[in-house]
Amino acid sequence: MGFRTVSLVAAFAILGIPKSCYQTTKLVQKTMAPDIYHSTSVDQIEKDTSARDASIKTLNASVLITASQGGGKTGKVVTYTSFRGYIFVRKPNDLRVILQLPVLGSRALDMVSDGKMFTLVHATAGHGDAWMHGSNTVTTPSKNGLENLRPGVFFDSLLVPGVAADEFVSLNESTRIVPLPDKKRVSMEEPDYDLTISKVKSGNVLRTVRVLHISRVDMLPFQQDIYDEQGRVVTSATYEKYKTFNNVQFPSVITMQRPLDQYSLKVEITKMTINGELEDDQFELKPPPTVTVQELK
């Protein structure tokens, strides 16, 4: 005669033992699925991502930027006073970031880049302006993460590039938990797509360049992870509160996290023009002939 499998619950019933003696109940956050979400193909997502990128030529934004520094390595996080300012972007590589001192409104920082080199001037306490010049690539990292800040962090995070001809894509399905502001104990379990963009490293080995996380509710990116040659996430940008600027949907809150340098920048866009005309002199920053310019490595 063969043995029959008896479930644990059935065993409790046979033995007459109350289940409450052998179980513990723990309340967890309840989740619900969205009423409507979309399904599509990897080919369509690749096409849509490239089309969104191609639709944006320039950005002219009034912003509020808040920097934070620290994390697990230091055991603390320091958040600095927010600065108002402006960001100008002109494809393919031009960038300018201007920040103003709180209350005074005078220039706190001004940075210009052509995609390869950058020039920066910032105010110092009682010593006038300090001028710096260097490559967009950090060759000698500083222990102070914010000192490793380069223009590429802004350019790479503000814009979500399309897929280049030498890049390969793959698509996975996942979910994320999104808190519902009007419900304390219920969250949304939102389906999303993860688009992995890779390049050939050598032979048949691929290297991950970026992973783009896209909500299947509105089909807009909510996060972009950028990897270095060693496969480490160097920038993780999150995108929130999309608004329509000049008929283009664009996030009004962008948070740029740099996990290796342990700092983050939160950019809140208060006003923006997309695809407006930007002049060449808006991307020029020339030091006076009498100042000493520090060369950064």
Side-chain angles (χ1 to χ4, degrees):
M1 181 182 294
F3 292 98
R4 298 182 62 187
T5 302
V6 180
S7 72
L8 186 59
V9 174
F12 283 130
I14 294 171
L15 296 174
I17 302 174
K19 290 185 291 181
S20 59
C21 296
Y22 293 89
Q23 72 179 24
T24 301
T25 301
K26 180 182 179 181
L27 296 178
V28 297
Q29 187 80 4
K30 186 177 180 180
T31 60
M32 58 183 292
D35 294 332
I36 300 175
Y37 60 91
H38 304 277
S39 296
T40 188
S41 65
V42 62
D43 294 327
Q44 188 61 50
I45 290 181
E46 177 185 357
K47 185 182 298 184
D48 291 344
T49 300
S50 296
R52 282 180 53 82
D53 177 45
S55 70
I56 300 174
K57 308 298 183 184
T58 67
L59 300 177
N60 179 348
S62 300
V63 298
L64 181 69
I65 297 182
T66 306
S68 298
Q69 186 171 20
K73 295 179 182 178
T74 60
K76 63 180 180 180
V77 174
V78 178
T79 299
Y80 299 95
T81 301
S82 300
F83 289 83
R84 295 195 178 276
Y86 306 92
I87 296 178
F88 305 103
V89 175
R90 182 176 65 179
K91 289 182 178 179
N93 299 307
D94 291 327
L95 172 77
R96 186 167 192 174
V97 179
I98 301 173
L99 300 181
Q100 298 172 324
L101 289 171
V103 183
L104 298 177
S106 56
R107 182 175 64 181
L109 178 145
D110 196 344
M111 179 173 63
V112 166
S113 173
D114 62 2
K116 295 181 179 179
M117 307 295 293
F118 76 97
T119 300
L120 180 149
V121 56
H122 68 87
T124 62
H127 300 286
D129 291 335
W131 287 80
M132 302 176 183
H133 181 263
S135 168
N136 277 17
T137 302
V138 178
T139 56
T140 307
S142 170
K143 293 182 179 180
N144 183 332
L146 278 171
E147 292 180 0
N148 297 324
L149 175 63
R150 293 294 186 271
V153 176
F154 284 95
F155 208 99
D156 294 342
S157 300
L158 289 172
L159 301 174
V160 177
V163 180
D166 62 342
E167 293 179 332
F168 299 85
V169 297
S170 61
L171 189 67
N172 294 318
E173 294 186 14
S174 184
T175 59
R176 63 168 178 158
I177 303 300
V178 182
L180 297 175
D182 56 338
K183 297 181 180 181
K184 293 182 179 180
R185 295 187 176 180
V186 180
S187 296
M188 182 74 70
E189 187 170 1
E190 182 182 284
D192 67 79
Y193 284 125
D194 301 329
L195 184 71
T196 301
I197 300 158
S198 308
K199 285 186 176 182
V200 173
K201 185 174 183 179
S202 63
N204 61 350
V205 177
L206 294 178
R207 177 181 73 84
T208 300
V209 178
R210 294 181 287 132
V211 177
L212 185 60
H213 306 273
I214 300 169
S215 167
R216 292 177 62 183
V217 174
D218 55 20
M219 296 305 291
L220 293 171
F222 63 85
Q223 183 172 324
Q224 179 179 209
D225 300 323
I226 302 172
Y227 291 75
D228 65 7
E229 295 280 350
Q230 287 74 47
R232 302 173 298 181
V233 176
V234 290
T235 301
S236 183
T238 57
Y239 307 103
E240 304 174 80
K241 299 181 180 179
Y242 276 82
K243 295 182 179 179
T244 301
F245 301 96
N246 303 101
N247 298 317
V248 177
Q249 286 184 295
F250 199 88
S252 62
V253 179
I254 301 171
T255 303
M256 313 168 191
Q257 297 178 334
R258 296 280 289 180
L260 298 182
D261 291 323
Q262 294 222 308
Y263 73 81
S264 67
L265 298 173
K266 182 179 181 181
V267 178
E268 300 174 75
I269 297 173
T270 57
K271 183 180 179 182
M272 184 165 68
T273 300
I274 292 180
N275 294 333
E277 189 71 25
L278 293 177
E279 303 297 334
D280 290 342
D281 59 7
Q282 291 178 267
F283 298 97
E284 293 180 357
L285 184 61
K286 297 179 180 179
T290 56
V291 305
T292 300
V293 179
Q294 179 186 356
E295 291 294 329
L296 298 180
K297 297 182 179 181

